[in-house]
Every structure is written in C-alpha cells, then in structure tokens.
Amino acid sequence: MSSDSEIKIKAGIRPGAQAGLKTRTIKVDYLARVEGEGSLYVRTKGQEIEEVQFKIFEPPRYFEALLRGRDLTEACDITSRICGICPIAYQMSAVQAMESALGIELTKEISELRRLIFCGEWIESHTLHVYMLHAPDFLGFEDAIKMAKKYPKVVSQGLQLKKIGNDLMKLVGGREIHPINVKVGGFYKLPDPSQLRKMLDPLKQARDIAEETVRFVSKLEFPDFERDYEFVSLFHSEEYPINRGRIISNRGLDIEVPSYLDHFQELHVARSNALHSVLKERGEYLVGPLARYFHNEGRLPERVRECAREINFKVKDCRNPFKSIIVRSLEILFACEESLRIIEGYVAKGPAFVNYEVKEGIGHGCTEAPRGILYHRYEIGCDGKIKEAKIIPPTSQNQKTIESDLFEVVRKYFSSPESELRHRCEQTVRNYDPCISCATHFLKIEREDVNS
Amino acid sequence: MRKKSSKAGNKRAKIKPKLAVWKFASCDGCQLSLLDCEDELLGIAEIIEIANFAEASRHVLPGPYDLSLVEGSITTSHDADRIKDVRNQSRHLVTIGACATSGGVQALRNYAREEDYRKYVYARPDYIEALATSTPISNHVKVDFELQGCPINKTQLLEVISAFLHGRKPNISSYSECIDCKLDGNVCVMVAHGTPCLGPITHAGCGSICPRYNRGCYGCYGPQDSPNPRALGDWMVAMTKASPDFVNRSLQTYYTGNKIFHEASELFQKDAQKVDALGESQSLPSPEPNRKDT
Ligand code: SF4
Ligand code: SF4
Ligand code: SF4
C-alpha cells in the first residue's frame, strides 16, 4: 500500500513484560463516511495499548508547490480544489491573505457578503456531517439512506436543510462546489437584492429545521467521555468568528493571524514525539466547532443561546468530543440566523470589488472552515506572482488530538466486545468530520515511546 | 416449468443494479455532487443499490458492480493497480470530473519535476511515494464514458447514471460553452467588456455561470469536442490585450493534462518568455490570427 502519509504511535511497549498476554487488534482498512481516504489500526496487549494508528493514505497533490509561479488572483480558484467539501473556506483564506499582502480594505458590504456565502458553507457542510455522516453512528445505521427507512422525516428535513445551504452558496457564488464569484478585493458580481430576498423564506424554514435538529441530536446517547483540550479558534469581540479575528486558546494563546507560524509548528522528524501541527509551547490542540463554541458562545445570537439552554447544553460540554454533533447543529442554527440578518440588511451598494495595485508583499489569511481554522500564507513578487505558499488545513491540526482521543477511547471501552469497540473508534474519528482530502501535506511519521 | 421461470424472472426484476463510487487523487467534490442531489437521493436509492460508496456509507457489497463512477487521477503505483481491480469488477466504468478525465490540476506536476514538488511540500520527501505524473483513468483502463467538469454538473451526472442503467447513450452535448452562453442570452464579456474568455473552446455543461457573473470562462469544464485553443488565445491577446502569459496559464490549469490544451499553452509560454526578454516597456506586436508556427 502506498501510505505516503501515515501516523503511527507506539506507546507503552514493554518488551518481554507482557509475554503470554493476548493481543487484540482493531482494524478498519477504509474508514467510511469521512472525506478522503484513511484507515484505523489499534493494537492492545493485555491491558496495555500497544499501538494506535490513524492512517491517511490520501495521495499527495502538491498544491503548495504548484501554486508557485501562478498569479495572485488564481490562488482562490486553485486552492478551492483542495477540498470540494469546504471550498469557500479555501477561497476566503486565500483572498484574505492576498488582500492583506496588497493592503486592500474591503467595504462593509463586501465583508458581509463574504460572511453570507460562508454561512451557506457552514449550513451545507455541517448538515452533511450531522445527518449523513455522523447521526447514523449514534443510531446504529450504516448510512443515512438506511436511517431514512426508520426516520424518513428526519432525513428528508436534513436533506432540505442541506439544500438551502447549497442554494445560498449558489446564489452568491454561482455554484455550490468551487464557486466562481469570489475574487481578490470582493466579488465579480453583487447578488441581486430581490434574488437574495427570495432566500428569506427558505432560510426561515431552515432555521426551524435547525432548531429541531438541535433537539433531535441532544437526545442521542453520548458516551460519558471528557478530555481537557487546548481549544484554538478565532475570536472577535463583536461577532461569532467566521472570517476575521485573533487566534486564541484557553491556555493563554492570543495572537494576530500573521504570527501564526511563530506559535504553531509542523514537525517532520521521524521518531519524535511531535506529529503534524503542534503549538510550539505545548503540543496538541483542538480546532473546530467545539473550540469556536467554547470561546465564543457569548457572541451567539440570543435565539441560538436560548436553544442551547433549552437542551441544557453548557460550554463545558465542549470537553466531550462526541457532543460535537450538538455544537454543529447549534452552529447551523447560528448560520441560518446570521444569513437572515445579513440578507435583511443587504443593499446592493457597489462596488462589487475594490481595485488595487499589484505589489510585492507577504500575506496571511485565517478563517473558520466548518472543521476549524484554515491558515494560508503567500509571498508575492512585484509581478503579482506567488513566490511561496503555505496552507495548513484544520484536519492536519486536529490529527494529534484525534489520536489521543482514540487512545483514551480504547482505554475506556477496553472490555467492550470487538465490534462495539471498533465502532466507537470509528465514531471517535468521525467526531472531527476529518477532511482527509484537505491533506496538503500529511506525512508518515513514527513515534515510539518505549517505557523502560 | 413455466411457472418457475416466470417466478425467477420476477425475482430478477427485483434485483437492483449495483452502483459503486471510487476515489483516487481528488478533492471529493465530484462525488459530493451525488450527495448534493438532495431532492433525488432517496429516490435513486430506491432503484439502485448503492453498493460501495465510502464517503456515504459503511455498508459495502462485494462486486461485480453494474456501474462504477470513478473520481480522481492516478498518482501512485498503488492506485495504478487499484484501478485495474475496479475495472475488473465493473460492467460499466464512467469517470467523473477533471481529475479522472484528464489528471486534474495536480497534473501540473507532469511538466515539472515531481521530486522538486515533493521536496517543496514535505520536509521528509523520503516518506512520500508517488508517481512522477498525475494521469487520467483512461490511460490505465478502458473507460466507457467520461463526464467532464471541475466539478461535474449534478444534473448531467444523473443523466449519465440513468443512461447507463438503461443501456443507452448519455445525452451530454459536447459543443462549446459559448453556445449555451448565447442561448442563455448573456452579454458576451469578451466582446462587450474585453474580458478574456475561454468559453469558445470549453465544454458546455456548467450553465455558462462565469459570463453570467461578469467573469470570463476559465475552462473548468475542459475542452469541447474540437477546440482550437491557439486561435482563441491569439484573439484573446489581440482583442482583450491578455498577456501571452495569461493565456498560457489559463490553458494550463484544471485541464492541463489535456494534450490539445497543453500544446497550445506551450506556444503562449514561448511568447511570454519573448515578452519577458523584451522587457516591460515594450510589448509584443499583435499576433496575426491563425498563425502557422507550431
Ligand atoms: S475534478 Fe475538480 S471537483 Fe472533481 S474531484 Fe477533481 S478537483 Fe474535485
Ligand atoms: S462570454 Fe465567453 S462564452 Fe459567452 S459568448 Fe462570449 S466568449 Fe462565448
Ligand atoms: S470556468 Fe467556464 S466552464 Fe467553468 S464554470 Fe466558469 S464558465 Fe463554466
């Protein structure tokens, strides 16, 4: 197998000491209901966990390399092809980085529209995950289609919700996968206000469905499982963060986007303790809906907070990764509310984009993709060509945390029957809605901690 | 006897055709198009057995499959073997998207040194195993139909699925984007605004969205049936003042793996180098349309 990207943790191996104990192996060769290709391998001996591997065998596509020499205007369309599930996040981080390099100030109208199209992506992508990829885990179905036999109304409502997210992206962006309307400085064309207003009714319906979704998922059965994560997300004093803000954590990180690389590091050394992206100061961390909610619950619209109170969901519940499905549902509700707010206040006040002059520079962009922060950095030459590109997607940042979760899950459910334990492990990975296609640079890394 | 066979016939009629969806090097966008058929999805599942579709289900039925949809390009030796296996298990094999039909944007590495790319992206390039090229599925196995687009259009996807399951030819027009654009009554961005547009050489299917959004087509549906990229590129340089470098890059992105696009792009690359050599103060004389050089 070509495993260009494989992460392997070996821990707690005590050669000889465990002789005679039974070895147990859990293997999932092709992890289903995640975006991209990955597998899972857990081996235990006696009571010890010998090995946990969350393997990624997505073939490399070399985006950062192929971006060099391209024009700064092209990064937005090209990087969207990294991932068809969250193309807006790629487009937004890319244009934001270019705009920061060129010193472009967007108009308020353009910023609001950017937020609107991003809301469309949150609705679409979160709904896909909640209904089609994750809920079947909790309810014991192999997929949403089988789930639809028992829960026809739930599934068809989910599909309707997803469609409304897609329609919003299509209206602002031209199409739902790899939209064509986003450009450096703004948009090619402003949407027609009357067309946008046609989305009001569907979005109100979506809001109702989202509320029902929150109630529905809150009744699922959650394992009693908590971990003390370092939550990392954007933070903005006035709004629930989507495409601007500082990067903060609950352990003291508080930085502007351009200093991302001073604090985060990708370690590529075999047999080191470090996996993909770590905080230089402390190591593993978690990005995504749980982290966003943990830091920004206070800036959610009242309706969303009310809904959270109704199901008795507390900020501290973010420590249970299985409850990410609740937070995703709350974020769908937020995105519906926010879209309604933006559309109601929308006037097609030009310009569609801000003009700029090409100049040399370095730019950074960081936005909240549905799965967590997505960082881009570009160096631009005086001819407007990209000299250097760096892209750090959310799934790379969560990898180390996913493996630590697996470790703890195996420990906790050690005595469960084989199939249940396997299923739990798969579910643990799916909590993160990992987007393996986003792997701009996954690596095969080995870690060996031999207790002596 | 008769009774028995008719019973068997009934039973056969109930067996649903089996659909499989496979992924190679790609962004998942084309297979997502199937999950984006929100209105049709449950209906499709009524008449087709979704037998192997990792992104959507844990449920896997063994082959053979009546129809395999293949997304993504071949970039590793492992995948080069795997696609043969997929072909062996599939009665019909249809490739979906630019990656699968022409190598995708990742085929840009075919014209660079894969090793350089690998070194740039990975601090430990020795961990990475990949082929020097990203190639379309048809370079490796027989393909029954190729659906173009980056991403594909979901209505066209449904048409292809339905055609194969009914044993007919898919009704997908292979004329240019320009035709649809004119049928849609768009103002031509090239003629009216001097915006370069690849519409005349691009395969129809997206619904001419870019011109509708004041943007020139950038070719994400790949070449139409008989494109003439050189002639269009020359016109773009002459009429819209596009730089040869721009034309080169436009042809060398999502469908760079296509021979006609790539050969034409190289011609403009040469012109771009000439412009560079002349310096920024001078521009190249307008090329004559229908040039003869290769
Ligand atoms: S053709 Fe485009 S949309 Fe389809 S998988 Fe490839 S990159 Fe994604
Ligand atoms: S805008 Fe482009 S696709 Fe449309 S008519 Fe003009 S050249 Fe053709
Ligand atoms: S680039 Fe061309 S083919 Fe692609 S969406 Fe735009 S108009 Fe359609």
Side-chain angles (χ1 to χ4, degrees), chain B residues 22-281:
Chain B
W22 309 93
K23 177 191 154 74
F24 291 82
S26 68
C27 83
D28 286 44
C30 286
Q31 49 177 320
L32 178 67
S33 302
L34 193 54
L35 298 179
D36 274 354
C37 295
E38 292 95 359
D39 293 334
E40 300 87 2
L41 193 65
L42 296 177
I44 297 172
E46 290 287 307
I47 47 169
I48 297 171
E49 182 81 57
I50 299 183
N52 195 336
F53 186 3
E55 180 159 330
S57 180
R58 292 176 87 206
H59 171 73
V60 177
L61 285 176
Y65 306 102
D66 294 281
L67 175 61
S68 274
L69 299 175
V70 178
E71 173 193 270
S73 62
I74 302 299
T75 59
T76 64
S77 53
H78 168 66
D79 278 356
D81 293 339
R82 191 161 63 100
I83 188 64
K84 298 206 174 80
D85 196 41
V86 169
R87 177 70 258 191
N88 285 338
Q89 299 186 61
S90 315
R91 203 148 71 85
H92 299 296
L93 187 150
V94 169
T95 54
I96 52 171
C99 296
T101 61
S102 90
V105 64
Q106 59 270 20
L108 279 167
R109 78 161 179 254
N110 301 1
Y111 313 102
R113 276 169 31 134
E114 186 270 336
E115 202 189 325
D116 294 343
Y117 271 30
R118 204 179 339 143
K119 280 194 189 137
Y120 183 71
V121 178
Y122 297 97
R124 290 298 303 256
D126 50 318
Y127 286 159
I128 306 296
E129 280 179 290
L131 297 171
T133 52
S134 166
T135 43
I137 302 299
S138 60
N139 279 24
H140 301 264
V141 295
K142 178 176 164 278
V143 169
D144 297 301
F145 188 78
E146 299 189 311
L147 183 61
Q148 292 188 191
C150 177
I152 52 166
N153 171 316
K154 65 182 185 189
T155 317
Q156 290 193 333
L157 176 64
L158 292 178
E159 161 59 18
V160 170
I161 294 176
S162 136
F164 273 93
L165 296 176
H166 291 100
R168 63 176 172 83
K169 208 173 154 262
N171 182 14
I172 305 285
S173 6
S174 55
Y175 55 65
S176 83
E177 190 48 55
C178 239
I179 310 256
D180 271 356
C181 187
K182 280 159 192 152
L183 287 172
D184 287 347
N186 292 332
V187 172
C188 176
V189 297
M190 188 135 76
V191 173
H193 313 298
T195 304
C197 181
L198 293 187
I201 56 168
T202 299
H203 196 285
C206 74
S208 59
I209 22 184
C210 290
R212 275 198 282 128
Y213 280 75
N214 299 335
R215 177 178 191 182
C217 171
Y218 62 87
C220 77
Y221 266 60
Q224 54 126 317
D225 232 6
S226 47
N228 190 347
R230 279 189 210 168
L232 176 68
D234 284 345
W235 278 110
M236 272 164 47
V237 172
M239 226 171 85
T240 71
K241 305 275 180 295
S243 68
D245 177 55
F246 174 88
V247 180
N248 161 41
R249 279 182 285 109
S250 306
L251 295 169
Q252 228 180 75
T253 317
Y254 308 99
Y255 273 83
T256 189
N258 174 270
K259 198 162 168 266
I260 302 177
F261 271 23
H262 193 77
E263 281 174 5
S265 78
E266 284 184 325
L267 200 66
F268 291 94
Q269 197 169 19
K270 273 190 216 138
D271 282 354
Q273 281 154 3
K274 274 187 231 159
V275 175
D276 273 353
L278 286 170
E280 278 178 42
S281 55

Side-chain angles (χ1 to χ4, degrees), chain A residues 378-437:
Chain A
Y378 301 100
E379 262 181 68
I380 310 296
C382 50
D383 55 356
K385 295 274 177 71
I386 297 170
K387 281 166 45 185
E388 304 285 345
K390 184 151 206 71
I391 299 170
I392 304 182
T395 295
S396 341
Q397 308 189 58
N398 274 336
Q399 266 187 109
K400 196 167 157 61
T401 304
I402 296 177
E403 289 205 320
S404 305
D405 277 11
L406 280 169
F407 220 94
E408 293 305 318
V409 163
V410 174
R411 185 170 293 174
K412 188 172 165 84
Y413 294 97
F414 205 83
S415 48
S416 309
E418 190 72 28
S419 65
E420 196 187 317
L421 187 52
R422 177 184 302 127
H423 193 255
R424 264 296 175 238
C425 288
E426 285 181 49
Q427 190 182 10
T428 303
V429 176
R430 281 194 285 266
N431 283 334
Y432 289 84
D433 191 8
C435 186
I436 298 170
S437 301

Side-chain angles (χ1 to χ4, degrees), chain A residues 1-9 53-58 60 267-272 274-276 399 403 441-447, chain B residues 122-129:
Chain A
M1 168 188 291
S2 105
S3 49
D4 58 84
S5 31
E6 171 180 328
I7 288 174
K8 206 178 199 179
I9 298 179
Q53 293 180 18
F54 168 41
K55 269 197 202 172
I56 285 168
F57 47 95
E58 184 77 18
L267 290 175
H268 295 176
V269 187
R271 299 192 184 283
S272 91
L275 290 183
H276 204 67
Q399 266 187 109
E403 289 205 320
H441 36 251
F442 275 117
L443 277 169
K444 180 162 113 188
I445 295 169
E446 276 204 0
R447 169 175 129 168
Chain B
Y122 297 97
R124 290 298 303 256
D126 50 318
Y127 286 159
I128 306 296
E129 280 179 290

Side-chain angles (χ1 to χ4, degrees), chain A residues 93-248:
Chain A
S93 289
V95 289
Q96 197 187 86
M98 298 310 175
E99 285 153 5
S100 89
L102 299 163
I104 301 173
E105 286 279 342
L106 298 181
T107 64
K108 186 168 170 282
E109 287 74 21
I110 293 170
S111 303
E112 287 281 277
L113 270 182
R114 291 252 176 107
R115 203 165 155 84
L116 181 65
I117 189 170
F118 223 139
C119 282
E121 176 158 294
W122 276 26
I123 298 173
E124 193 281 328
S125 171
H126 275 352
T127 307
L128 174 77
H129 188 254
V130 167
Y131 282 90
M132 307 185 80
L133 311 182
H134 212 189
D137 270 340
F138 287 92
L139 299 166
F141 296 97
E142 282 167 321
D143 53 54
I145 289 162
K146 297 218 163 52
M147 189 175 133
K149 298 230 158 65
K150 184 132 182 249
Y151 296 94
K153 188 168 160 248
V154 173
V155 174
S156 62
Q157 280 199 337
L159 289 170
Q160 195 190 342
L161 184 59
K162 181 168 168 299
K163 188 170 186 232
I164 295 168
N166 267 338
D167 286 347
L168 191 57
M169 283 165 80
K170 202 166 159 180
L171 188 56
V172 184
R175 69 178 162 202
E176 53 277 63
I177 303 169
H178 309 321
I180 51 87
N181 194 21
V182 179
K183 67 182 272 179
V184 175
F187 290 92
Y188 286 90
K189 187 184 178 183
L190 293 178
D192 173 359
S194 68
Q195 288 293 321
L196 267 190
R197 271 195 295 277
K198 282 196 190 137
M199 284 302 300
L200 287 174
D201 282 338
L203 277 165
K204 283 176 191 157
Q205 267 174 4
R207 181 171 63 183
D208 294 342
I209 300 174
E211 272 181 349
E212 278 184 45
T213 307
V214 173
R215 289 185 199 113
F216 180 77
V217 298
S218 73
K219 293 191 197 97
L220 298 172
E221 225 178 280
F222 296 100
D224 180 18
F225 181 89
E226 280 193 0
R227 285 191 58 221
D228 190 12
Y229 298 107
E230 175 153 11
F231 293 111
V232 173
S233 81
L234 287 181
F235 172 86
H236 193 279
S237 57
E238 285 147 40
E239 60 197 28
Y240 198 75
I242 298 184
N243 42 18
R244 60 178 179 175
R246 302 169 63 76
I247 302 172
I248 65 159

